[in-house]
Amino acid sequence: MSSDCLFCSIVRGEIPARRVYEDDRTVAFADINPQAPTHVLIVPRRHIAGLKEATTEDAELIGYCQLVAAKIARERNLEDGYRTVYNVGPGAGQSVFHLHLHLLGGRDLRWPPG
Ligand code: AMP
Ligand code: ZN
């Protein structure tokens, strides 16, 4: 846990968020600036700065976030097409340095992304 981390504060419930799912390892909440009809962030409760800071100890948690995304997508009938994204580093748009998986769906998703 990091006291000055936005997503740690959301995990602790100190900053409000529209939570859509939670379990013992993760919290998922609606992105405040949605880029698609479904735009959910899946966040591990444990603070990990990002994918490039992750270690093999974090491997299961990183993969587990993908399974949580798949579960939310299934429940929302998004299985025709959705995207899960880890933005890694400022050059790829990472702005919050607590690992989070974006789940985007509910509209056509172009490839390659911008
Ligand atoms: P990234 O740019 O990949 O680091 O993603 C950070 C995401 O967090 C962005 O899509 C923001 O819109 C989102 N975000 C920032 N602050 C909040 C907040 N308080 N509640 C929900 N989502 C947020
Ligand atoms: Zn954090």
Side-chain angles (χ1 to χ4, degrees):
M1 287 283 176
S2 171
S3 57
D4 57 356
C5 170
L6 173 63
F7 287 176
C8 281
S9 298
I10 288 177
V11 165
R12 288 195 295 260
E14 294 164 5
I15 291 177
R18 190 155 63 79
R19 292 184 182 224
V20 300
Y21 174 85
E22 60 188 294
D23 61 26
D24 59 331
R25 284 175 278 178
T26 64
V27 176
F29 52 90
D31 195 293
I32 206 167
N33 181 23
Q35 302 301 311
T38 284
H39 188 173
V40 169
L41 302 175
I42 298 99
V43 171
R45 288 183 185 272
R46 177 152 59 81
H47 182 89
I48 304 167
L51 193 63
K52 64 188 161 70
E53 290 81 11
T55 69
T56 51
E57 277 180 24
D58 305 316
E60 204 211 329
L61 196 48
I62 291 166
Y64 183 69
C65 288
Q66 297 278 2
L67 292 178
V68 170
K71 176 183 168 66
I72 295 168
R74 194 176 309 121
E75 286 170 0
R76 295 187 177 198
N77 295 314
L78 296 175
E79 288 188 310
D80 183 55
Y82 61 88
R83 189 164 293 154
T84 63
V85 178
Y86 283 119
N87 290 327
V88 184
Q94 186 179 2
S95 60
V96 177
F97 294 88
H98 178 132
L99 188 87
H100 51 281
L101 182 65
H102 293 259
L103 167 63
L104 296 149
R107 65 165 169 81
D108 276 351
L109 295 166
R110 301 280 151 218
W111 191 262

